[in-house]
Amino acid sequence: MKNYLLILAGGKGNRLWPISTTKMPKQFVNLYGNEIMINETIRRVENIFDYENIFVIVNEEQRDLAERYIDNKIPRENIITEPQMRNTAMCIFLSSLKIKKMKGDGIVSILSSDHYIEEEEKLQNNILDAIEIAKKDDNLVTIGITPTFPATGFGYIKYEKVEGTDVYYRVSEFKEKPNYEKAVEFVNSGEYVWNSGMYVWNLETILQKFQKHLPDIYKFADTLYNALSTNEEREVIKKVYENVETISIDKGILEKTTSIKMIKSEFKWMDVGSIRSLFEVHKKDKDFNVIIGDSIVNNVSHSNILNKSDELLITIGVEDISIIKDNDVCIVCSNDSIDEIPKIHEDIKEQDEYKRFM
């Protein structure tokens, strides 16, 4: 049975503004490694998937960026586009049909393009284990991350031990992003992992789950399948997307089925979905500063400084602040206020005088 990789890369990255913009969203930006985030994702697992079996789904507006910047070893026909954002259920449904039509049935592993992962060998081993589990008994498999602190920005998975194996666990419940008190309770109980959004399953199995749990999406299966890889593909997809609900794969399917297995991983993981999480994946210096880019600091402590501009940034005599300078925007705020940046973005993005910065 063939093994496929699907990378979800269709987001706009608004919460990472001004580093991520409409013209260059985060998945096409080098945020922490040697390459753009999509290609960093490919590098982590390229030795367990053939390039011809690696697929990436992006927004239609990002097609040119995808064809220009995604690793040239990935066939351009493997770049799937969707006309508008409809959350992960529709994204995965369209991709599953496309892969099935192009390549036939098989096991698909789903990763996001905006994750930071250390100890890549552990990830690879987890995926290989998940592939074997997904081959048996129509299992849907997810990779859970052992929590290292009471995060409020991630969903959680409650799990139970399966007698006779230490390779995987049974998922008993999905939990939405909690408040801090509830997150502390989850972590201290030892019964929860972070929901990483990484999945492995048989294409035919997940399509059957769509038919059972999301019939209003599945009813378009034949229409889409027949149009894929033809001259009518884009137009048909556009019409379908105008008439489908916006729902996540977690809410639409995973929370409604009992056949979910979970592999608990120990590698360091972070969903780089915000400025704060970006600073968290970078190492601090002796003064507990994170310095990214061309900057000079003097008598600065417990601060985050990111300069992706061509200008020199000098910071003197401050503590507990964050400075972000990129795409002709400079933001200076206290560390406690950094999570307010997306709200500022939302407030000004439609104002004519600021649109060029978006």
Side-chain angles (χ1 to χ4, degrees):
M1 185 171 287
K2 294 181 180 179
N3 293 319
Y4 307 116
L5 172 66
L6 172 64
I7 299 174
L8 308 184
K12 295 184 178 180
N14 291 337
R15 291 170 58 222
L16 266 166
W17 178 82
I19 303 165
S20 173
T21 64
T22 302
K23 293 180 180 178
M24 189 64 71
K26 64 179 178 179
Q27 57 268 39
F28 299 99
V29 178
N30 180 351
L31 292 182
Y32 55 75
N34 299 314
E35 301 187 63
I36 66 170
M37 295 184 79
I38 294 176
N39 289 341
E40 288 283 344
T41 306
I42 294 170
R43 293 290 165 267
R44 291 186 194 117
V45 293
E46 62 186 348
N47 63 335
I48 60 175
F49 295 97
D50 295 331
Y51 290 112
E52 64 182 22
N53 291 331
I54 297 176
F55 293 79
V56 182
I57 183 162
V58 300
N59 192 278
E60 181 69 41
E61 296 174 353
Q62 302 162 358
R63 179 185 290 273
D64 290 343
L65 289 173
E67 292 184 348
R68 191 184 318 161
Y69 291 115
I70 290 176
D71 191 321
N72 286 328
K73 299 186 189 74
I74 307 302
R76 270 23 199 174
E77 59 268 26
N78 287 15
I79 298 174
I80 306 167
T81 60
E82 50 181 355
Q84 53 187 296
M85 296 176 67
R86 284 286 183 259
N87 214 317
T88 51
M90 190 60 204
C91 171
I92 289 171
F93 183 64
L94 172 63
S95 299
S96 299
L97 292 172
K98 180 74 171 180
I99 295 170
K100 182 179 178 182
K101 180 140 190 193
M102 288 179 62
K103 300 287 186 175
D105 199 19
I107 305 294
V108 60
S109 301
I110 300 176
L111 303 179
S112 294
S113 66
D114 56 357
H115 290 176
Y116 170 84
I117 294 174
E118 291 184 5
E119 300 174 289
E120 296 173 357
E121 187 175 345
K122 289 184 178 180
L123 169 65
Q124 295 167 14
N125 290 336
N126 288 159
I127 291 175
L128 291 172
D129 285 342
I131 288 172
E132 292 306 310
I133 298 166
K135 290 178 181 178
K136 304 171 184 176
D137 302 324
D138 295 334
N139 288 315
L140 306 180
V141 188
T142 185
I143 297 175
I145 309 297
T146 303
T148 54
F149 64 96
T152 58
F154 307 145
Y156 285 73
I157 298 172
K158 187 175 184 180
Y159 65 94
E160 302 171 352
K161 186 172 177 57
V162 176
E163 190 174 342
T165 180
D166 292 323
V167 178
Y168 62 87
Y169 299 82
R170 180 183 298 106
V171 171
S172 58
E173 195 173 1
F174 286 86
K175 294 287 189 179
E176 296 293 321
K177 298 175 182 178
N179 59 31
Y180 181 76
E181 291 74 18
K182 185 61 71 172
V184 170
E185 180 184 320
F186 288 167
V187 173
N188 289 343
S189 74
E191 298 176 341
Y192 293 84
V193 291
W194 287 335
N195 183 356
S196 71
M198 293 184 270
Y199 310 110
V200 181
W201 46 52
N202 186 299
L203 280 174
E204 200 59 47
T205 298
I206 194 62
L207 290 174
Q208 290 171 3
K209 299 298 183 184
F210 272 98
Q211 185 176 24
K212 180 178 181 179
H213 300 296
L214 288 174
D216 287 342
I217 288 180
Y218 186 82
K219 68 184 180 183
F220 294 106
D222 289 342
T223 300
L224 285 169
Y225 190 83
N226 292 333
L228 293 173
S229 301
T230 72
N231 294 333
E232 299 177 350
E233 178 176 316
R234 287 194 190 183
E235 187 61 33
V236 171
I237 292 175
K238 181 180 178 181
K239 289 181 180 178
V240 169
Y241 265 68
E242 291 172 352
N243 294 283
V244 293
E245 63 180 314
T246 299
I247 190 170
S248 70
I249 194 72
D250 290 26
K251 277 200 164 298
I253 292 179
L254 301 184
E255 292 182 7
K256 300 174 182 177
T257 185
T258 58
S259 58
I260 307 175
K261 304 299 188 296
M262 186 275 295
I263 292 176
K264 183 167 66 171
S265 188
E266 304 290 341
F267 54 73
K268 183 177 179 180
W269 169 91
M270 182 66 67
D271 179 353
V272 188
S274 67
I275 298 290
R276 186 182 295 278
S277 63
L278 173 61
F279 285 131
E280 286 175 352
V281 303
H282 285 271
K283 292 182 179 178
K284 298 180 185 297
D285 66 15
K286 62 182 179 58
D287 297 312
F288 304 98
N289 299 310
V290 172
I291 311 293
I292 306 169
D294 199 1
S295 299
I296 295 174
V297 299
N298 185 14
N299 192 24
V300 174
S301 66
H302 296 88
S303 294
N304 304 306
I305 299 172
L306 184 152
N307 181 20
K308 283 184 167 285
S309 74
D310 294 328
E311 300 167 340
L312 176 63
L313 178 61
I314 301 175
T315 310
I316 304 171
V318 296
E319 63 180 14
D320 294 316
I321 69 165
S322 291
I323 303 175
I324 303 100
K325 194 175 193 308
D326 196 13
N327 291 305
D328 296 323
V329 176
C330 183
I331 298 173
V332 181
C333 64
S334 67
N335 288 337
D336 289 341
S337 302
I338 197 169
D339 294 327
E340 296 179 27
I341 295 176
K343 183 180 184 305
I344 298 295
H345 174 268
E346 190 67 25
D347 289 344
I348 68 174
K349 68 179 182 180
E350 297 301 330
Q351 298 181 32
D352 290 340
E353 64 264 45
Y354 300 128
K355 282 185 177 181
R356 64 190 178 95
F357 300 113
M358 298 297 113

